[in-house]
Structure formats: structure tokens, C-alpha cells
Amino acid sequence: MEYSLYRRLNEDGGIFRFTGGIESITDGRILWVKGDDLTIPVSLEKTNCYLLPVHEGSGLPHEPEQIKWNRISAITEGTKVFIGGRLKTTDNRLNFVTENDQPLMVIFYNCPDEQLHASIIRAARTRNEYWNNITPVSIVIGVMALIYIASSYLDRPAFRLTVITALVSVFIPILPIFPPGFLFTLLYRRFSWSARKLRADHDLIRFGFMPEFSLQLANKIALQAYTLEAVAWIVMVLGIAVNLIFIFLTLYLFRIISF
């Protein structure tokens, strides 16, 4: 955004993006960002703020870390920041602000400016896109259901195997980190990481950040990514199955269960 355009804005402002460096933070709520020819205040209240970690060479950056506005005072002066959202007149000056229909986005980064958009797209491909707000709830519900099944048949010797199976299944979420299935988990991570890189490349081609590649190639890359991801999950399931078999064989050898 140029200073001449900034001066011509009306009270409603508009939707803009702005990059610069942190100049100061006042009252812990107003972030002052200095660009090439002007400094703009940014209201941090109710604002989504993210920290884009260091780029790992030709690989993928880490997932963006969402930080609360009251933690931003710990970020050093001069740190580069990207702001996208609405400019609005507040206290007789134009500010970037968050509104209900237009949330403001603030991203702190340290990559070259020309790589910012590509880095954001790559980082948006999280390490595990199947973990979300519902995942912990579903795990808790599953654990409670298995415990209920085990307790229901606990006093019935004929269903002893059912009880043991339910109790062992409670620990399925942590089974991938134990040997011997842990070897399959390592393969799963390798395959899923490769799939994530391919899907990030697909995104970059689609959005025009890699113009030397065609959309046809992007579709092939997407197919490779989905195939690798499917293989990764098959490997993960195999790892869990190996651990379950190992547990039941151990229980059988110690005569805790019988088949």
C-alpha cells in the first residue's frame, strides 16, 4: 500500500494487505507496523495472529503457530509481519481492525518477501490433517465406550476375551509408538511427509506460484499424493495390527487368555 492511496481512503477504508516490520506495541493492544513509506496501526484484539517458523530449505516449513495477541509483546522489534484485512477509521486514524464479517489476519515471518505466499501455502499443509477439534472428543467417546463394554462383561467368564480385547483397544491411539509396530510408524511418517510435499507443490501450481508447470502435471502430482497417503495409512494400520497380535500372543504365552 502506498502513502498516496492511504491518504485517499474514506472512513470505511477497505480490504487491504500490508507488509512491514514491527516498530512498536502500545498498551499491548496496538501494533505499529512500518512499511517502506508509512506506518500503520493494527488493533490486535480479537485478531488471529500466526507465527510462520523458519523455512527448512527445499522442504516444508513447520505448521504456523497461532499465538494470542497478548503474547506479541515478546516478539522483537523489526520482525517482519504480513497484515490482511479491513482498514477502518478509529480514534480519528485508519487502523487495521477485526470485524465479525471480516477477521483480520496477522502473520509474523522471517522468510524473503518474495517467498512469503509460497511459504504460507506450504505451511498450510499441516503434518496431520486428520487431527482437528473433533478428534480428541471422538477418542474420549471411543475410550468410554470400550470401558463400558469391558465392564459390562467383566463378571461373565465366557466373555473374557471380549473384555481383554476392549481393554487393549483402549490403548490403540498410543500403540503406534511401541515396538515392533513402531517400525511401521516410521514408514508411515515418511510416506505421509512425501505426500504432504506433493500436495503443497500441487497447491503452488494451481495458484500460479510455479508457472513453469502445467495444471495437467498438477493433477498427476495430486494423484501421486493421494496414493502415497493411502499407502501411509495402510502401513499405519498394519503397524497397529502387528502390535495387537504381539500383545495377544504375549497374553496367550502367559496363559492370561486362551484361543
Side-chain angles (χ1 to χ4, degrees):
M1 180 189 301
E2 297 179 355
Y3 182 74
S4 58
L5 176 60
Y6 178 81
R7 295 290 296 175
R8 291 198 302 269
L9 292 174
N10 57 30
E11 291 186 359
D12 292 332
I15 307 300
F16 292 92
R17 58 185 179 183
F18 184 76
T19 56
I22 295 178
E23 186 173 79
S24 63
I25 299 177
T26 58
D27 301 327
R29 297 183 179 183
I30 303 297
L31 174 69
W32 292 86
V33 180
K34 182 177 179 58
D36 293 333
D37 54 1
L38 75 156
T39 299
I40 294 182
V42 182
S43 176
L44 296 177
E45 290 191 78
K46 300 179 181 179
T47 298
N48 296 321
C49 300
Y50 298 89
L51 182 64
L52 189 64
V54 178
H55 195 280
E56 300 175 349
S58 60
L60 291 168
H62 291 292
E63 300 171 29
E65 177 189 357
Q66 185 169 2
I67 57 177
K68 295 184 178 180
W69 61 267
N70 54 6
R71 284 183 51 201
I72 295 178
S73 57
I75 298 179
T76 59
E77 180 181 347
T79 299
K80 292 188 287 187
V81 58
F82 168 89
I83 304 107
R86 183 178 296 279
L87 268 174
K88 188 175 182 180
T89 300
T90 306
D91 298 331
N92 297 321
R93 69 188 180 198
L94 281 167
N95 295 261
F96 274 108
V97 297
T98 287
E99 296 188 332
N100 293 332
D101 61 335
Q102 187 62 52
L104 185 65
M105 178 171 288
V106 177
I107 300 176
F108 301 96
Y109 65 97
N110 59 2
C111 63
D113 290 344
E114 62 273 12
Q115 297 180 13
L116 174 59
H117 294 90
S119 295
I120 292 173
I121 291 174
R122 286 185 178 276
R125 286 297 182 182
T126 60
R127 294 178 184 275
N128 187 351
E129 294 172 338
Y130 294 93
W131 182 274
N132 50 52
N133 295 333
I134 301 177
T135 305
V137 177
S138 64
I139 290 177
V140 171
I141 293 175
V143 168
M144 292 177 64
L146 289 169
I147 292 176
Y148 173 77
I149 292 173
S151 61
S152 298
Y153 293 99
L154 191 61
D155 56 349
R156 301 171 68 175
F159 292 92
R160 187 180 183 187
L161 181 58
T162 301
V163 173
I164 293 176
T165 301
L167 292 177
V168 170
S169 299
V170 168
F171 299 96
I172 282 182
I174 62 173
L175 282 182
I177 64 175
F178 293 106
F182 181 66
L183 297 176
F184 288 87
T185 301
L186 294 178
L187 287 175
Y188 159 80
R189 288 175 59 86
R190 185 177 183 87
F191 286 135
S192 61
W193 176 258
S194 298
R196 180 179 171 232
K197 290 178 66 176
L198 287 173
R199 290 211 282 165
D201 289 339
H202 169 259
D203 292 339
L204 292 174
I205 296 173
R206 282 186 56 205
F207 290 115
F209 290 100
M210 299 175 70
E212 66 273 19
F213 299 108
S214 65
L215 290 178
Q216 184 177 4
L217 178 60
N219 293 332
K220 291 182 179 179
I221 290 175
L223 180 60
Q224 292 175 5
Y226 291 133
T227 302
L228 271 177
E229 194 169 65
V231 172
W233 280 104
I234 291 173
V235 169
M236 172 62 76
V237 171
L238 286 175
I240 293 175
V242 166
N243 273 352
L244 286 175
I245 293 172
F246 178 76
I247 290 172
F248 279 106
L249 286 177
T250 302
L251 294 175
Y252 175 74
L253 290 175
F254 284 94
R255 301 294 188 268
I256 298 176
I257 60 174
S258 58
F259 298 105

